């Protein structure tokens, strides 16, 4: 029997319920990119806030392309469970925050209507790194942006809100990009500059794009997970997400209008997100990508196996403590050494089954903020990063297909570059395909090309 409002009586009593009047809540948030991460993170916080008495923050979820999530959630009245898994066991919560799921391709008009609706105050995003359509120099790639992207989907209802004299919106990027809010604002500016320049001044004055640091490890749910969960909770939940107990959300407190009381349920509202965001991207995500490419090369499938390998663990420790941490200006109360210790423990969680191949996806979009910024900062101080160089060599081998088909929006060109005579020059540096953030020295380039042989 499938999870839904009609079948709630059959839900195991051990599952925590949201307990607020769901039908009476207006939808205050439109979320673009409603994948597993959003459901285990921002929607979960919003659910907790509404359970604590906050109102009218129901979420309209939007999938940009695939109908999968809509098919998983709509027959369940938007209901799903979040299960925290660790050695200590399973702990499930029923989440009621998501009202409906729309698919932009096919329901574009409805998505635009929801964003233009006066009850909507926030448009949040988890569209992954590639969803921002950035060129290697960080500017907006119009060829991508004009081929059906989030920008048009936001620009049109913004125009309607402006013309109707409605309030602006908060655009809340929850993706793993450095300065994600600032980048979104700049890219949106570029888009409007070309397509609706008359809206620019209003956008800049009436809308805000706060930066956020989001953190929760959420492996893709498998059929085996769903079967095991059904046996525990008594209902089949096709939209279930399984995650770790840890969760963190740091948000720049710069909203254009009202916001949920997320700070009352664990999120941190701060004036400067940068120290948290930089530490998370260079340490957690940087170590993750290293574990992915080097772990796969060692024949591992899961993160906990790779971190358990006595050859790899010291390398991850060195990446965290000797290469990444020294490049980060810690904020008040931030302890990077303790953070490194906690990360290694989280990676070792044996109950998560987080696949390395999932992290290995979209390397061309991830590595600039995870590794290249660290490399550039160390280079400026004359310091070497042997572990990250080893990671880059493993990525180049990955691009050649040694771990199977490559999942990356630029897989074909990247594969050709990786097979060429000088992969480092083709991928990095001033003319590199990936990013110009880091210009490798000749010594570094030779070392990587040799390791990648
Ligand atoms: C991972 C992230 O898939 C990946 O690239 O590094 O999804 C990571 O699990 C999250 O950022 C953790 O907050």
């Amino acid at each position: 029997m499938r999870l839904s409002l009609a079948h709630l009586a059959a839900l195991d009593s051990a599952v925590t319920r949201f307990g607020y009047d769901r039908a009476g809540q207006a939808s205050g948030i439109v979320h673009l990119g409603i994948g597993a991460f959003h459901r285990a993170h921002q929607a979960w916080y919003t659910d907790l806030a509404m359970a604590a008495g906050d109102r009218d923050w129901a979420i309209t979820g939007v999938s940009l392309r695939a109908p999968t999530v809509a098919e998983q959630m709509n027959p369940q009245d938007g209901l799903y469970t979040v299960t925290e898994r660790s050695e200590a066991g399973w702990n499930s919560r029923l989440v009621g925050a998501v009202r409906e799921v729309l698919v932009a391709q096919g329901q574009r008009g409805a998505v635009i209507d929801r964003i233009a609706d006066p009850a909507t105050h926030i448009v949040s995003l988890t569209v992954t790194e590639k969803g921002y359509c950035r060129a290697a120099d960080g500017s907006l790639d119009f060829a991508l942006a004009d081929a059906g992207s989030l920008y048009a989907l936001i620009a049109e209802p913004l125009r309607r809100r402006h013309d109707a004299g409605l309030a602006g919106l908060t655009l809340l990027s929850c993706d793993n990009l450095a300065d994600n809010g600032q980048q979104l604002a700049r890219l949106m500016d570029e888009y409007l500059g070309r397509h609706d320049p008359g809206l620019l001044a209003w956008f800049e004055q009436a809308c805000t794009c706060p930066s956020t640091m989001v953190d929760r490890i959420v492996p893709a749910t498998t059929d085996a997970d769903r079967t095991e969960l059904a046996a525990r909770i008594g209902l089949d939940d096709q939209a279930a997400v399984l995650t770790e107990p840890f969760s963190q959300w740091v948000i720049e407190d710069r909203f254009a209008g009202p916001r949920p009381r997320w700070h009352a349920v664990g999120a941190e509202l701060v004036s400067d997100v940068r120290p948290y965001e930089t530490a998370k991207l260079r340490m957690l995500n940087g170590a993750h990508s290293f574990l992915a490419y080097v772990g796969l090369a060692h024949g591992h499938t899961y993160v906990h196996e790779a971190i358990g390998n006595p050859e790899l663990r010291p390398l991850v420790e060195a990446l965290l403590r000797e290469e990444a941490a020294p490049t980060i200006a810690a904020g008040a109360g931030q302890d990077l050494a303790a953070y490194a210790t906690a990360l290694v423990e989280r990676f070792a969680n044996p109950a998560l089954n987080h696949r390395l191949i999932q992290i290995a996806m979209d390397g061309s979009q991830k590595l600039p903020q995870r590794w290249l910024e660290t490399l550039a900062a160390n280079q400026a101080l004359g310091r070497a990063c042997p572990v990250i160089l080893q990671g880059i060599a493993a990525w180049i081998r990955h691009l050649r297909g040694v771990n199977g088909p490559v999942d990356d929006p630029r897989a074909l060109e990247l594969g050709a570059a990786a097979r060429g005579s000088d992969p480092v020059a083709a991928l990095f540096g001033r003319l590199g395909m990936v990013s110009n953030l880091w210009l490798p020295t000749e010594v570094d380039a030779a070392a990587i090309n040799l390791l990648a042989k």
Side-chain angles (χ1 to χ4, degrees), residues 37 176 214-218 280 284-285 288 354 358-359 366 370:
F37 181 70
N176 287 317
V214 293
D215 187 11
R216 194 167 215 188
I217 296 174
V218 188
K280 197 264 175 166
L284 188 157
N285 296 114
H288 248 177
H354 193 192
Q358 184 184 347
I359 302 170
K366 293 173 174 175
R370 296 181 181 205

Side-chain angles (χ1 to χ4, degrees), residues 11-265:
L11 188 67
D12 192 277
S13 60
V15 179
T16 311
R17 298 168 195 238
F18 49 85
Y20 51 84
D21 162 33
R22 195 169 172 252
Q25 308 275 345
S27 171
I29 300 174
V30 176
H31 183 80
L32 305 184
I34 181 163
F37 181 70
H38 172 73
R39 305 207 293 279
H41 194 271
Q42 305 100 60
W44 177 82
Y45 281 97
T46 306
D47 193 68
L48 292 174
M50 291 201 286
D54 212 357
R55 288 193 56 83
D56 296 337
W57 291 111
I59 298 169
T60 296
V62 178
S63 289
L64 294 182
R65 275 172 208 91
T68 324
V69 178
E71 289 161 5
Q72 289 168 340
M73 298 190 70
N74 290 335
Q76 300 185 177
D77 304 303
L79 297 176
Y80 66 99
T81 55
V82 173
T83 298
E84 296 170 4
R85 273 197 293 195
S86 68
E87 265 178 315
W90 292 42
N91 176 20
S92 300
R93 173 181 177 85
L94 177 69
V95 173
V98 179
R99 170 68 42 85
E100 60 174 345
V101 178
L102 302 172
V103 185
Q105 203 168 52
Q107 294 177 287
R108 195 186 153 77
V111 174
I112 289 171
D113 286 347
R114 298 299 188 285
I115 299 178
D117 192 288
T120 300
H121 302 292
I122 296 172
V123 173
S124 52
L125 302 92
T126 48
V127 294
T128 81
E129 296 85 345
K130 62 176 172 255
Y132 291 82
C133 309
R134 294 170 306 158
D137 67 357
S139 65
L140 187 63
D141 181 333
F142 276 96
L144 293 173
D146 288 341
S149 68
L150 64 97
Y151 300 103
L153 211 54
I154 295 177
E156 224 177 294
L158 282 185
R159 164 52 72 187
R160 278 188 21 200
R161 295 183 77 97
H162 167 271
D163 292 352
L166 291 176
L169 291 173
T170 300
L171 306 183
L172 196 63
S173 168
C174 298
D175 282 296
N176 287 317
L177 304 175
D179 292 323
N180 50 13
Q182 238 170 294
Q183 286 210 54
L184 176 60
R186 181 177 49 73
L187 294 160
M188 198 72 218
D189 269 348
E190 282 188 56
Y191 184 86
L192 292 175
R194 176 169 300 185
H195 292 290
D196 193 353
L199 200 60
L200 262 178
W202 179 82
F203 172 66
E204 284 170 7
Q205 168 260 313
C207 299
T208 63
C209 301
S211 283
T212 64
M213 181 275 242
V214 293
D215 187 11
R216 194 167 215 188
I217 296 174
V218 188
T221 309
T222 64
D223 286 335
D225 292 331
R226 289 190 195 95
T227 307
E228 189 175 352
L229 184 72
R232 288 171 184 255
I233 68 171
L235 286 173
D236 171 28
D237 178 3
Q238 287 295 314
V241 283
L242 298 106
T243 183
E244 60 178 338
F246 180 90
S247 183
Q248 191 178 11
W249 195 7
V250 187
I251 310 168
E252 183 188 0
D253 197 0
R254 207 161 54 77
F255 284 72
R259 56 164 158 73
R261 293 176 49 76
W262 285 320
H263 54 284
V265 292

